[in-house]
């Protein structure tokens, strides 16, 4: 595979088995990847493409759900983990 292509793979349930996130320089590079690399592989029966128009939000942080009745249990954990109360997200 070309060094200019970045691929991330996630196994999913539903109609498809995998979701690939592919970052390429342009549409021509994507077409080359799709036709030669992906669909050229014997174990790939088909593919469906969707393109992101805009990145709305990206984060690697996971929200922590804290119920009001159990908030006191998390205060000690926050001090142990050296987090401030403002770093704990309440949904």
């Amino acid at each position: 595979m070309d060094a200019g292509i970045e691929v991330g793979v996630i196994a999913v349930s539903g109609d498809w088995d995998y979701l690939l996130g592919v970052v390429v320089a342009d549409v021509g590079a994507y077409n080359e990847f799709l036709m030669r690399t992906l669909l050229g592989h014997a174990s790939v029966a088909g593919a469906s493409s969707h393109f992101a128009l805009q990145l709305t939000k990206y984060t690697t942080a996971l929200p922590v759900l804290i119920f009001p009745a159990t908030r006191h249990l998390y205060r000690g954990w926050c001090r142990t983990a050296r987090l401030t109360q403002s770093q704990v997200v309440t949904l």
Side-chain angles (χ1 to χ4, degrees):
M1 188 170 0
D2 186 336
I5 298 175
E6 296 180 29
V7 179
V9 181
I10 301 171
V12 297
S13 63
D15 294 337
W16 299 97
D17 297 322
Y18 299 98
L19 173 66
L20 275 65
V22 180
V23 179
V24 293
D26 54 31
V27 175
Y30 175 75
N31 186 58
E32 182 80 13
F33 167 77
L34 178 65
M35 301 308 259
R36 292 184 189 239
T37 305
L38 191 60
L39 294 176
H41 197 281
S43 65
V44 176
S48 176
S49 298
H50 303 272
F51 295 91
L53 300 176
Q54 178 181 358
L55 180 63
T56 305
K57 180 179 179 179
Y58 176 78
T59 181
T60 57
L62 296 175
V64 177
L65 180 61
I66 299 177
F67 296 100
T70 60
R71 181 177 294 276
H72 67 282
L73 298 173
Y74 292 95
R75 287 196 179 115
W77 177 82
C78 290
R79 282 191 293 275
T80 303
R82 298 186 190 279
L83 298 175
T84 65
Q85 193 64 34
S86 64
Q87 290 174 300
V88 177
V89 178
T90 304
L91 301 177

